[in-house]
Amino acid sequence: PSTAAASPFDAHESAVRSYCRSFPALFTRAKGSRLHAADGRSWIDFFAGAGTLNYGHNPEFIKRRLVEYLEADGISHALDLHTAAKAAFIETFVARVLAPRGLDYRLQFTGPTGANAVEAALKLARRVTGRSGVFAFTGAYHGLSLGALAVTANRAKRAAAGTALGDATFVPYPDGRLPAEQTLAWIERLFSDGHSGVELPAAVIVETVQAEGGIHVAPADWLAALQALCRRHGVLLIVDDIQVGCWRSGGFFSFERAGLAPDLVVLSKAIGGYGLPMSLLLIRPELDRWAPGEHTGTFRGNQLAFVAGAAALEHATDTGLEAEVRRKGERVAARLARIAALDTRLAVRGLGLVWGLDCSALGDGFAERLSARCFELGLLAETAGRRDTVLKFLPPLTTPDDELDAGFDLVARALGDLLR
Ligand code: PMP
């Protein structure tokens, strides 16, 4: 039945579609951490829209707000006019996220997608510094529009665009292949060596945890040293918190564990609360040097996403989501350690509720087969990393303990089937 249902896609949708190939089914309904298909099958969702559905599918506390808003004929589209929904979102974000952390940022609504926010960050960094280069890291993922792609280190994703992607210089991420301090020495050298052939960049863009890159967690002291290095040289630090922000890593911002105050921060995915499109650039107030209208567009703030996003922030702070993520993270860490003990070639990395099971020592293709077997058994988990050798787990942060356990039971079963 799923093949018959897939026919309109095969007949009429571009070959560029991707995730549907790993997870072939016709999905119809979803609730919490469960996805349902037309043919009656269902899955536990440890993919969660690549970290977009931090509060699960169709959470009641957000759905109620959205329905009330729609019933009252709340504004659905307003360009960037001042609306009550936007005012409420800004006030909630400042009161619930920024103020308690002593952080001061201006909010720029950059459009629906993460890549939109990255584009804005790169452009603003160039405007503010008058320099054009950017340093990005090996393994980085920042999106696939041309500017964001220029700082994305994935050869396959870059191939279609050719090589002339702008002034990005890739420097090594502390992913275990080089000692972390050597990666910093490398950057320091390029910043200060007039003969390296590399100009001082406008900015360094970094993910504190590389998610698409295979769940590599940068050490907190490395992140702090990177910020200090950037400050010493007048280079802006951009943190991309699109996938691991919004409590995914524990704190609301993934950089809290390193005590950073980045110059620019990009957020998207879960910030829209209900899977609704929103991306945000946070700007240190003194860097907000845009001229009015200089970076704008039609979709600069989805009103429903404002309503859902504000409801999510209120709920998360009222219910102590941060402590819950930390507690669940420890539970997952313990469970994954037992799973990794099934074969000495497996490794586990992660924090909070972003985890990876590194299967690279089992050969290319193993993690993809594991993902496929998980899908057959009733679990959605995507692969990540160079050559897709890491199975990635991003359950909704609200997944109950018994469902987390059930999901990892399926991973253990799938692994048992493949290792047999
Ligand atoms: N940055 C990071 C860290 C991401 O994970 C992603 C999406 N996977 C992006 C940027 C790009 O976001 P989008 O796909 O919405 O353009």
Side-chain angles (χ1 to χ4, degrees):
S2 57
T3 346
S7 63
F9 310 107
D10 289 338
H12 302 294
E13 196 185 4
S14 162
V16 79
R17 64 197 192 281
S18 64
Y19 299 121
C20 56
R21 297 177 196 278
S22 319
F23 305 125
L26 186 69
F27 298 100
T28 50
R29 233 166 16 91
K31 189 73 183 170
S33 32
R34 282 234 160 234
L35 267 165
H36 301 268
D39 59 10
R41 287 180 296 164
S42 82
W43 293 264
I44 296 174
D45 187 0
F46 278 9
F47 189 27
T52 301
L53 300 162
N54 279 7
Y55 315 98
H57 294 271
N58 295 303
E60 287 301 319
F61 66 92
I62 302 181
K63 188 163 81 182
R64 264 199 317 275
R65 291 276 193 93
L66 286 171
V67 169
E68 281 164 20
Y69 186 78
L70 288 169
E71 298 246 311
D73 284 334
I75 310 251
S76 72
H77 178 80
L79 295 164
D80 68 354
L81 299 180
H82 288 165
T83 62
K86 189 201 262 191
F89 177 84
I90 294 174
E91 282 164 6
T92 307
F93 190 84
V94 171
R96 305 264 179 154
V97 174
L98 296 182
R101 291 167 180 77
L103 292 169
D104 188 11
Y105 289 108
R106 295 275 187 91
L107 279 65
Q108 180 184 356
F109 297 100
T110 46
T113 74
N116 293 151
V118 171
E119 299 284 341
L122 297 175
K123 194 199 273 188
L124 182 60
R126 291 163 78 134
R127 189 191 211 298
V128 166
T129 61
R131 297 188 296 264
S132 62
V134 182
F135 279 20
F137 289 93
T138 54
Y141 189 97
H142 299 291
L144 301 187
S145 58
L146 286 177
L149 187 62
V151 287
T152 291
N154 182 313
R155 194 174 301 196
K157 303 279 194 230
R158 293 166 65 92
T163 50
L165 276 169
D167 290 330
T169 300
F170 288 97
V171 287
Y173 196 74
D175 59 6
R177 287 182 301 146
L178 268 187
E181 60 284 0
Q182 273 188 33
T183 67
L184 288 173
W186 186 317
I187 298 167
E188 170 96 72
R189 171 87 183 264
L190 292 180
F191 278 2
S192 31
D193 181 350
H195 294 286
S196 67
V198 177
E199 298 291 329
L200 189 69
V204 171
I205 183 164
V206 68
E207 297 156 271
T208 71
V209 179
Q210 286 188 339
E212 299 299 329
I215 319 299
H216 294 287
V217 182
D221 57 351
W222 182 89
L223 289 164
L226 177 67
Q227 176 174 279
L229 180 56
C230 288
R231 295 256 153 96
R232 272 204 306 285
H233 289 271
V235 170
L236 300 183
L237 182 66
I238 306 171
V239 170
D240 180 341
D241 242 357
I242 286 170
Q243 186 153 164
V244 298
C246 302
W247 288 290
R248 173 62 60 187
S249 75
F252 178 85
F253 293 111
S254 72
F255 52 80
E256 287 171 42
R257 71 187 163 91
L260 303 189
D263 298 297
L264 302 170
V265 181
V266 285
L267 288 172
S268 188
K269 291 194 190 279
I271 193 67
Y274 203 76
L276 290 166
M278 187 193 317
S279 73
L280 256 185
L281 172 60
L282 305 182
I283 308 169
R284 260 186 31 220
E286 64 275 26
L287 301 178
D288 186 18
R289 303 216 203 114
W290 290 116
E294 192 172 35
H295 190 80
T296 182
T298 304
F299 293 104
R300 296 286 135 162
N302 179 301
Q303 304 296 310
L304 294 178
F306 287 143
V307 172
L313 294 176
E314 280 172 25
H315 184 83
T317 42
D318 286 347
T319 58
L321 184 66
E322 177 166 340
E324 268 297 275
V325 172
R326 292 185 199 281
R327 185 189 63 74
K328 287 177 183 168
E330 282 168 27
R331 189 181 183 94
V332 170
R335 185 73 182 92
L336 275 173
R338 291 206 302 283
I339 289 176
L342 293 173
D343 191 299
T344 53
R345 291 168 293 179
L346 293 167
V348 171
R349 294 185 296 270
L351 82 173
L353 284 175
V354 47
W355 289 88
L357 182 65
D358 189 330
C359 307
S360 43
L362 285 148
D364 285 5
F366 186 90
E368 282 155 316
R369 289 199 299 282
L370 185 57
S371 169
R373 184 66 188 135
C374 285
F375 187 71
E376 284 167 7
L377 294 176
L379 176 77
L380 240 78
E382 226 333 354
T383 55
R386 44 176 57 217
R387 303 192 314 280
D388 282 310
T389 51
V390 177
L391 193 65
K392 181 168 85 163
F393 308 111
L394 295 168
L397 308 182
T398 49
T399 308
D401 286 358
D402 57 349
E403 215 148 36
L404 279 178
D405 294 349
F408 285 109
D409 285 348
L410 294 178
V411 176
R413 247 178 79 196
L415 199 54
D417 291 347
L418 259 61
L419 290 171
R420 222 191 348 250

